[in-house]
């Protein structure tokens, strides 16, 4: 079992056998033997491994094993196999820490994901997805208002959201998967601006909602995108702000809307086309303008700060305050050095939301 854990931590750290071996002054062969469990590492080696891999020694002995299933990547190109393994291992590690936390802090806070009853069963056009998004907003009591914190909204409804750094080439956007008996898991890159993260999250929510409801001939990717737009910036709210028929839009209007709804200017422009606020011609004209001015794939307007996952950390500090866990367990669950946790508890850490 330890071998498996060493290998997983090595992938999570993005290290080859040789790179890890060099760091701790052993041969690649020796590490490989540990991973295949032909040899059991002693405590001194485990300590060195833990340091090099950025985990605590307890990590190697953890018994909760999480396995991601039905993994679907959202990416802009081909991800390297090593990057996939790294992301996978990181997600599984974070999910295992969740499981551990649930053990020490049981309660009704980890709600099961369920879609509201009565959602339309058959979608025969993309337009119908507008209604679906509104129905979900209603059931979740979001009204037509902008969603301030999408991660929080999803977590509150039983979707586990994990953020990971991703790959160096910036290809990875996010992924969806299930784990632990069918719980939906959505993963999003932690470094992306808020609007890009939010679209990814809403897109993945879209898959959960539209899957199995689409009539033949409707592409699920397109449906998930339409859902994302409709969920983030509901039709009626846009009609109210922009009007239902326009000759053209000023980019500044969209920049103001971006700040309000947390959706990119380009996404809003698509949306205005989808909702026929703009004619096909007007839409083409505006895209043409963006292309000619090199603005097509640029961030327009102020970037939105990335969203944060807070629930997990909140629950750890709660368990700590209630005396259900000690400093050392809290540090392990948070994945931070004990000394850092102690500093944070005394308000001496640079970032109070340390990862
Ligand atoms: Zn998708």
């Amino acid at each position: 079992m330890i071998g498996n854990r060493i290998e997983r931590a090595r992938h999570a750290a993005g290290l080859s056998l040789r790179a890890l071996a060099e760091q701790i002054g052993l041969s690649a062969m020796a590490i490989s033997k540990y991973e295949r469990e032909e040899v059991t590492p002693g405590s001194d080696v485990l300590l060195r491994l833990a340091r090099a891999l950025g985990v605590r020694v307890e990590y190697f002995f953890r018994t909760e094993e999480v396995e991601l299933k039905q993994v679907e990547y959202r990416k802009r190109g081909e991800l390297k196999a090593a990057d996939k393994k790294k992301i996978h291992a990181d997600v599984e590690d974070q999910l295992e820490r969740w499981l551990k936390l649930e053990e020490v802090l049981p309660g009704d806070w980890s709600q099961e994901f369920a879609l509201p009853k009565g959602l339309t069963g058959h979608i025969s056009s993309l337009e119908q997805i507008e209604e679906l998004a509104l129905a979900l907003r209603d059931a979740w009591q979001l009204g037509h208002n902008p969603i301030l914190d999408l991660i929080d909204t999803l977590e509150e409804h039983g979707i586990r959201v994990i953020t990971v750094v991703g790959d160096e080439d910036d290809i990875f956007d996010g992924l969806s998967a299930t784990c632990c008996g069918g719980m939906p898991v959505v993963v999003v890159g932690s470094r992306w601006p808020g609007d890009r993260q939010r679209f990814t999250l809403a897109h993945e929510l879209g898959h959960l909602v539209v899957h199995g409801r689409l009539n033949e001939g409707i592409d699920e990717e397109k449906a998930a995108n339409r859902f994302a737009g409709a969920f983030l910036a509901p039709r009626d709210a846009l009609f109210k702000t922009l009007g239902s028929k326009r000759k053209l839009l000023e980019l500044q209007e969209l920049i103001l809307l971006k700040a309000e709804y947390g959706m990119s200017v380009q996404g809003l422009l698509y949306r205005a086309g989808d909702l026929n606020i703009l004619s096909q011609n007007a839409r083409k004209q505006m895209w043409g303008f963006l292309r000619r001015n090199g603005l097509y794939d640029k961030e327009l307007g102020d970037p939105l700060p990335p969203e944060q996952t807070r629930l997990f950390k909140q629950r750890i500090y709660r368990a700590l305050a209630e005396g259900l866990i000690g400093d050392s367990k809290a540090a392990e669950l948070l994945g931070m050095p004990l000394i850092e946790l102690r500093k944070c508890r005394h308000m001496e850490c640079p970032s109070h939301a340390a990862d």
Side-chain angles (χ1 to χ4, degrees), residues 204-220:
E204 298 304 349
L205 175 63
H207 276 298
L208 290 172
V209 177
V210 302
H211 189 74
R213 291 175 203 277
L214 299 175
N215 281 7
E216 228 175 290
I218 299 190
D219 176 42
E220 186 166 321

Side-chain angles (χ1 to χ4, degrees), residues 74 203-204 207 221 224:
R74 187 168 157 80
H203 173 98
E204 298 304 349
H207 276 298
E221 278 310 300

Side-chain angles (χ1 to χ4, degrees), residues 189-355:
S190 59
R191 294 178 298 160
W192 301 134
D195 56 333
R196 181 164 165 188
Q197 287 182 327
R198 287 161 62 87
F199 200 85
T200 297
L201 292 167
H203 173 98
E204 298 304 349
L205 175 63
H207 276 298
L208 290 172
V209 177
V210 302
H211 189 74
R213 291 175 203 277
L214 299 175
N215 281 7
E216 228 175 290
I218 299 190
D219 176 42
E220 186 166 321
E221 278 310 300
K222 278 194 185 142
N225 279 337
R226 181 67 178 254
F227 179 92
F231 190 72
L232 287 171
R235 179 184 59 195
D236 297 355
L238 290 190
F239 282 165
K240 211 165 143 191
T241 317
L242 299 175
S244 55
K245 276 272 174 282
R246 292 284 303 274
K247 279 194 260 173
L248 275 182
L249 293 168
E250 278 290 325
L251 284 176
Q252 290 301 331
E253 286 179 89
L254 298 178
I255 285 174
L256 290 166
L257 269 183
K258 173 189 174 183
E260 199 177 351
Y261 284 92
M263 202 170 148
S264 70
V265 167
Q266 289 86 343
L268 286 162
L269 193 49
Y270 261 119
R271 190 101 186 93
D274 283 346
L275 295 173
N276 293 319
I277 294 174
L278 283 178
S279 67
Q280 287 290 350
N281 254 343
R283 177 161 37 165
K284 264 194 204 142
Q285 212 176 318
M286 290 195 67
W287 281 117
F289 174 83
L290 291 181
R291 265 197 207 98
R292 280 194 306 280
N293 292 283
L295 302 171
Y296 180 71
D297 51 1
K298 289 262 158 31
E299 165 116 40
L300 302 176
D302 291 334
L304 301 171
E307 291 210 352
Q308 307 271 343
T309 47
R310 277 190 290 267
L311 187 62
F312 182 66
K313 289 174 201 154
Q314 274 166 354
R315 298 300 162 164
I316 290 172
Y317 285 112
R318 175 167 159 184
L320 193 57
E322 295 297 313
L324 296 167
I325 52 174
D327 275 2
S328 165
K329 174 63 77 187
E332 186 201 338
L333 291 175
L334 285 166
M336 68 204 273
L338 182 57
I339 188 158
E340 179 118 350
L341 174 87
R342 291 200 168 131
K343 274 192 194 161
C344 286
R345 289 190 82 186
H346 294 97
M347 301 302 290
E348 286 164 7
C349 59
S351 149
H352 296 297
D355 258 316

Side-chain angles (χ1 to χ4, degrees), residues 108-129:
D108 55 3
W109 56 279
S110 45
Q111 190 194 325
E112 238 178 76
F113 174 74
L115 286 173
K117 292 198 175 73
L119 290 183
T120 319
H122 297 285
I123 300 291
S124 52
S125 73
L126 288 176
E127 281 65 43
Q128 272 179 290
I129 291 175

